[in-house]
Amino acid sequence: MNKYALITGASRGIGRAIAERLSQDGYTVIINYKNNKQAALQCQQAIEAAGGQAELLPFDVTDGAAIEAALTAWDATHEGEHISVLVNNAGIRRDGLMVFMDENDWHEVLRTTTEGFYYTTHHVLSGMLRARQGRIVNITSISGVSGLPGQANYSAAKAALIGATKALSKEVAARKVTVNAVAPGFIATDMTADLDEAELKKTIPAGRFGKPEEVAALVSFLCSDEAAYITGQVIAIAGGMG
Ligand SMILES: NC(=O)c1ccc[n+]([C@@H]2O[C@H](COP(=O)([O-])OP(=O)(O)OC[C@H]3O[C@@H](n4cnc5c(N)ncnc54)[C@H](OP(=O)(O)O)[C@@H]3O)[C@@H](O)[C@H]2O)c1
């Protein structure tokens, strides 16, 4: 029987690296994305070229009805199987100082992270509880741990995700489902492409941005059997920041 891992926002960046890594770990990967089908197909092709298996499952993580429809259709075509790993990775940033922050930038950032967590987890969790086995990894941020100026919306969203991680971990631990959060610092992806890397590097003790593959390696460990006793934790991967 296949082991399935659903990664939201897996068409690019950290999500794609996690998808490739979990494929190497033996999972059939379900690649979620919102708009960028071409990037999602490239991720799928890279996984298949390396001998792995991957499926595409597009939906907007803020659209509860679309998620329910997509995951119900997935359940129908995978009878007797369930998703045993969920990585809530999809996220956006719309930075700005609070005094100038647009209402939409507040709501969109909060919705993508918090509703993304709610809708996807709410559907996938029941299969994990029935199977008495599962791994949920939420991609938060060092910004949600320490707060960063210009990111009141993003820090609030990522801090909310940490609260949800801790609460849910206590609800489901007895059913052998672990729930952890990974908090990256600056990682080189499209999301950080517009930042002044040379200047920001000076604020990072390790003196460099992290790589998506480094985050993926941590997620891989948290999804492994060896991590069965780690739950409700926030693990920073930030080159010493925070
Ligand atoms: N990069 C960093 O420095 C950093 C640091 C800390 C935390 N993080 C967090 O790590 C996660 C991944 O970041 P990244 O840097 O890899 O971002 P990225 O390169 O911008 O990629 C974002 C991914 O999320 C998807 N996505 C965005 N909104 C979505 C929605 N509403 N529904 C479904 N998918 C959606 C995108 O899909 P499309 O391709 O279809 O647009 C894409 O696959 C985010 O949660 C981010 O907050 C990143």
Side-chain angles (χ1 to χ4, degrees):
M1 192 183 278
N2 286 344
K3 299 187 300 176
Y4 290 94
L6 168 60
I7 301 111
T8 65
S11 49
R12 295 181 282 124
I14 293 169
R16 174 173 170 167
I18 294 169
E20 293 191 41
R21 178 62 192 249
L22 292 181
S23 167
Q24 289 162 17
D25 293 345
Y27 289 94
T28 296
V29 169
I30 306 168
I31 300 168
N32 162 257
Y33 63 99
K34 182 181 174 189
N35 293 319
N36 200 333
K37 186 172 184 184
Q38 197 180 347
L41 282 169
Q42 283 169 4
C43 176
Q44 182 182 34
Q45 283 157 9
I47 286 170
E48 289 175 352
Q53 288 181 298
E55 307 172 357
L56 301 189
L57 196 67
F59 54 74
D60 179 339
V61 296
T62 66
D63 185 341
I67 293 172
E68 203 50 33
L71 289 174
T72 301
W74 189 92
D75 291 338
T77 51
H78 296 76
E79 213 181 316
E81 299 184 294
H82 75 284
I83 294 167
S84 54
V85 166
L86 168 63
V87 184
N88 287 305
N89 167 75
I92 57 168
R93 53 173 267 260
R94 301 268 186 278
D95 295 355
L97 294 175
M98 189 64 185
V99 70
F100 303 121
M101 189 175 287
D102 182 83
E103 189 181 352
N104 290 330
D105 290 345
W106 176 266
H107 289 302
E108 279 306 302
V109 168
L110 266 288
R111 286 184 65 210
T112 304
T113 290
T114 59
E115 295 184 17
F117 165 82
Y118 169 75
Y119 289 124
T120 314
T121 307
H122 186 254
H123 187 103
V124 169
L125 188 60
S126 52
M128 292 181 180
L129 294 176
R130 274 196 302 274
R132 293 176 180 271
Q133 185 271 329
R135 295 278 186 271
I136 298 173
V137 181
N138 297 320
I139 308 300
T140 176
S141 167
I142 208 73
S143 183
V145 177
S146 310
L148 286 178
Q151 292 199 318
N153 51 356
Y154 188 80
S155 296
K158 295 302 192 179
L161 190 58
I162 290 171
T165 300
K166 293 186 177 187
L168 180 59
S169 70
K170 292 177 169 68
E171 291 180 20
V172 300
R175 295 281 187 120
K176 298 192 170 84
V177 177
T178 69
V179 189
N180 289 291
V182 165
F186 291 107
I187 308 296
T189 68
D190 292 347
M191 183 179 275
T192 51
D194 63 328
L195 301 181
D196 185 345
E197 186 169 344
E199 203 50 43
L200 285 167
K201 274 195 315 200
K202 296 175 192 162
T203 67
I204 306 169
R208 66 173 177 88
F209 277 20
K211 301 177 197 156
E213 294 75 18
E214 292 173 311
V215 181
L218 174 56
V219 173
S220 165
F221 174 67
L222 290 172
C223 294
S224 71
D225 291 343
E226 290 152 300
Y229 204 53
I230 303 172
T231 196
Q233 302 306 302
V234 184
I235 302 172
I237 175 159
M241 281 182 80

